[in-house]
Every structure is written in C-alpha cells, then in structure tokens.
Amino acid sequence: MLGHEQLGRISSRTGLKGDITTLAAHLDEDDDLGVEPATHSLIYSCGCLVAQATEQQQAAARAAADGVAAAAAQQHAHSHGWQQQQRRAQNTPAAALMPGVPDPTGLTAAEVFSLSSRPQSKYKLVLDFDGNTLIGGAWNSVKKTDKIVTPPYDKDGDNSTFNAEELADIVAIWRAVAEDFAPFDVDVTTADPGDAALTGVGQKAIIGGDSTDWYGVAGGIAFVNSFGRPDLPCFIFPRSLGPNNPKFIWEAVSHELGHTLGLLHDGVLPNPAMPSGTAYYSGQGVWAPLMGIPYYAEVTTWDAGEYSFSNNNQDDLATIGKFLPRAPAQFGSSVSTASPLTATSSSSPSETATATASGVLSSSNQTDFFSFAAAAGPASITVAVTAPFGVGYYGRSNLNAVSTVFDATGAVLATFNPPGPENMGIAAANVTIPSSGVYYVSVAGSGEGNVSIDGYSSYASLGRYSVSVTYASGFTPPAVDCVGAWSSWSVCNASCNQTMTFRITRPAANGGGACVSADGSVRSQPCSGGACLAAIDDPIVIIADITISRETFNMSTNSTNGTAPANGTNNTTVRANPLGSAPPQYAFCKAVVTLKTKAGARLAKAKISGSWSDIDVARSKPTAAAPISLQTRPSGQVVFKSRPWRADLQSPQQPAQNGAISTCVFTVSRVDFPGKTLDRAASVLTQKLTFDGR
C-alpha cells in the first residue's frame, strides 16, 4: 500500500493535485494502473484493451479496406471529363477530412504519410505507423533495455512496403483519431516532425507490432500526463488488437493519447447489476466512453462520468484542455449574429440554389447559426458528418447532428435529428419556406437515449460537419449594413490611460456596408486634462480592497516566499540561529491595501493608518502590532506587515493543538490626503485571514 506522502508525490508529479482519494481508489481498483518507482510517474499498461475480433468484424474491416481500393480502380476506369476532375479533387490528402465523403482512394504511401488534420496548429499528435527505434527513453529504463524496436504497421508479413489494405487502414485510423480530437486546436498527423519539434507541444503514438515483442500483455501503454515529452511516447500494439483491426486500433490510439493528456480509465463502481464493478466500462446502448473499452459500440466519445455508477467523474474535455486549447468557433452563435450562406450552385430551370458551409463544433453548448435568403417553396437541409469506414459498426463521427430552421422572427419552422447511430448526420430533410425572406438554420450536437441507462448526452457530441441548404431562389434580400459602436471611455487606470472597445451588434449581409472596425477592436488614450484630472480630483476616496496573505522567511539563509517584515515588528527581536542548529523559520501576515477615488483613479502619496488585531497564531497569541501609518505608492497600494512569529516551533507555555486555526486581522483606521474624504460605508475597512497551524 502506498502511504499518504507517496500518493501526494505521485499526485503532484502527474498533475492530479488535490485528488489523492480518487488516485488511491484507481490504483487500488485498476490492475492496469501502476507507478514507475524512480520518478513516481503513473503508467497505464492497458491489458484489458487486448481483444480478439470476431471473424465477422475482421471480414467487415477487410471489406471496408478492399472497398476503398476497388473504388479507386473503378472510378479511374469509368469516370470521364468533369467527373474525373471532381473525384480526383475528393481523392487527395487535403480532402481527407471532408464530412460525408468516404476516405480518399488511390493515395500513394507518400501521401498517406503526410496526412494532417490542422497543419497550422503548433500542437501535434503524431501517429507513427512506419516503424520506430527508441533509445534512452523512460520506457527503456522501465524495461531495462537499451533499444526498443517497433516494426511498421503490417498485415501481410512484408514490412518493407505498405499494400493497399494497409494504407487504407492508416487513413481510416488517422481520420477517426482526428475526429476524436477535432474540438481541439491540435494537428493529428502521420508526418513525423522529429522529437525536438514535439517538446512541450506534442505527443507521439507509436503503432506497430505485438505487446509481447518487448513489453508484456497490453493493447497499449502510456505514461499519464506525458504530453510534450518526446522521451515518453505511448505505444499501441495492432497485433494485440484484433489482430490488426482498424476499429480496435483507432479506439486504442485515442485511448492511450487520452492517458498522455491526463485521463484515467472510465469504469463502473460496484452496483446491483455488477457487484464487483469494473475498471473499464464497455458502454450502454450504442455508446461507449473512449477511456473505457470502446471497441463494440457504434458511437464512442469523451465523457464526464454521466452514466450510472461511474467511477470517474473527470471532465475529459476540460482535462485535455489543460494541454490543448479548444478550436475557435467559426460562425455566429445566434439568429442575430448568423453567418450568411453563399450559394455555391444553382439550377435555372427549377430556380433552386444550394449554399453550403463546413465547420467544427468544439464546445458542449455550441450552436452554429447561418442565414440564407429564399423565395417561398420547398427547401431541404443536409448535414454531413465524418463518414464511416465501411458501414455500420465502423462509424467514426462523434457528432450526432441536430439542425433547426428558423424564420425571420426567430420562430422555429422545423427541427431535424433522426435517431440511430447510422443517422449521425441529416440526409436531405425537407421543410417548406412559407414566404420570401431571410431564414436561418442552426447546427448543434445532440445526445440520444437516457444517459443514465442506455444513451449518451450532448456533452461530447462534437466534431466536423458540413451543412447544405437547397432552396427556391429568386429572392434578393435587401443589403444589411453592419451595425456597431464604440463603448464609452473607461475610467482612468493607474497609468492614467483609458480605453474604449468596438462591438458589432449586427454583421453586414447581402453586400451591405462593413463596420468601421473589427469586433473587439480597442482604442486607448492618455487621460490628459479633464478625464484624468476629474478622476484624480474626485474629493471622495475609498479603500477598494484589502488582501491578506501569510508569508515566511528564514533569517540565516535569507530564504523567503515573501520578504522579512519592514514594518509592524513592534520592537520584536528576530534572533539568528545558533551555530549548528537548523535555521529557524519565521512567519508574518501581509496586508495589501488599495486606495482609489470613487471615480476609479488610484491615488498616490496618501497616508493610510491601520493596525493588526486579534492575531491568534495556533492559539499562542503573539502580541499585536501598534497602529502604523504608511504612504501609498503610484499604484494606489500600500503594504502592511505584522510582527513575525516562529513558524517551526510550538510555544512551550501554550503549545499549538493539532488542527488549530490561526488568524490575522488588519483594520484601516483613517486615510489622510488634502482635500479628500474617506467614504467609510463604501470601503473595505477590515479583513481577516484564517489558516491552519502556525
């Protein structure tokens, strides 16, 4: 059993600060979670991820890969002219993430190993399929071996080249992992930039071979919170997953990368249906959590422990967000800020137009809004999501799309959210446009079923989509000019500057005029003359804040987390430590007092008088300091310090009790500045700090 001190070191080392109880429970209940003793790092050896696929599952994978290769040959033989051009455009690495479009076909090995989901991002998740040799890393120390060699991803026994099925698998796996991490500003890539480029901003997943080649029984292995450490890649072992089943592999890749980003296993507490509980949850209904066993569900996503008897309430998205920023929203979030759709094609005989847009839902409550100008008549809404690999069981979309159509007033005309994992997108849903005008369509994520029993919520129903609206054309909406305004000048800050911000309340549409500035633009100016002087000349002043902290210092080594008291010592002598004894540690309380005029200007060279009272340090009650008067700095602040006390000894006369509470209280008694009056009712005149022990 690990002691509290050891758990504390592990918790701090792995970024799980303050959650020792949860960590202890996971270590106790999860046989696949261990500790690397030399560094107190957590290691997951995911033995429960080892899985044998059924013949039906393997046949479906082969059929999907064969279908990709066959489609490439067929479309080359039977397409002509513009069809060939269109299909060639879809069969490029750049088009590999297009929602609703099957995986690109006929890619060369060089193209497959240059796939990139968000190339502009500085953050990288590298999927390494072409073999790796690890020397001098932490895994070498763990297994006491100088060299760890991982072979390339291989299904036919020839690891010198990649055949069509292997390349199709790599594209499928990359695309699924890219969908799992679509909410984040991170590039999921098969192009290895080198270990140096990953320091602090990347993680490598090495995919190849069998776990028994060098490690032991595991589907994948990872150090927890190892993102940004090139010497700590995670490993995924395809021959232990199926073997070589692409669905199993892509789920295991995201699972192990999740560990490197701080995620623990999603399991189930003991309950009537499962008296012993389990460290890995295999899901409910059509859904399973990525950090459980996600192989057998059609829909797999991140989660926040919403299902019944969850043993892990980690907010997966927030935990990953400690390492990776969220992808920014690209479109408006309401009817009033809707992004205009531009028609990309039209049909003169039937007088219809089609407008499309593609985006990413990256936050749980995000809804993207679009506007379109339509004449009265039928319209259809299509929302495409990440396409499956093959059919059914090999779905990859995390987004279960829901779309709503609104009229010009914001009233709902129709909402579309077809049920079932085969309907994560929306296929040509029809709606009638009652009259010519501007209409709106939204796209959001939806859950399905009861999250406590057999379904999942909209929490992680996120990912890539494209929305397409086909409608009756012939209506030209009036131009809508941008509407925006500058805010009022702010109050003067401590540097006697003030700012104003431009906010757009209605974006331009239909060729309307642009606003004079971008939304969020800021202007600043010195508060010369009237504005600044008015604030400073305000006759009323207030104590805006008193912040108290406990500080420590060491007289012999001059080591301190604050500074030794310069005021308020009250004739207390701080003695140097005797030769050969441990350096004594002292503590004191510090109060930072902020003075402002009521108009908001900070006031320098004002005299503030105050005193410490009711100081009770672990019940030994040192003498309180006498009243002190100090002058404010240009920032309008002044620092008061109490007399110090020994923080490392108990009082012989009145020893501190275990768990005793200590207090420091500071009170402002008066403020002196010519022509100014302290508004005591609007001021913070006293503040108390309470802390444990001495």
Side-chain angles (χ1 to χ4, degrees), residues 55 141 177 200 239 260 267 283 355 395 466 490 498 565 575 620 638 645 659 690:
E55 179 53 39
S141 300
V177 177
R239 291 179 192 164
T260 72
S466 65
S490 66
Q498 56 185 174
R575 301 181 182 277
S620 59
V638 64
W645 64 87
T690 301

Side-chain angles (χ1 to χ4, degrees), residues 280-294:
Y280 294 77
Y281 187 40
S282 58
Q284 56 193 30
V286 301
W287 173 86
L290 283 166
M291 299 311 296
I293 296 181

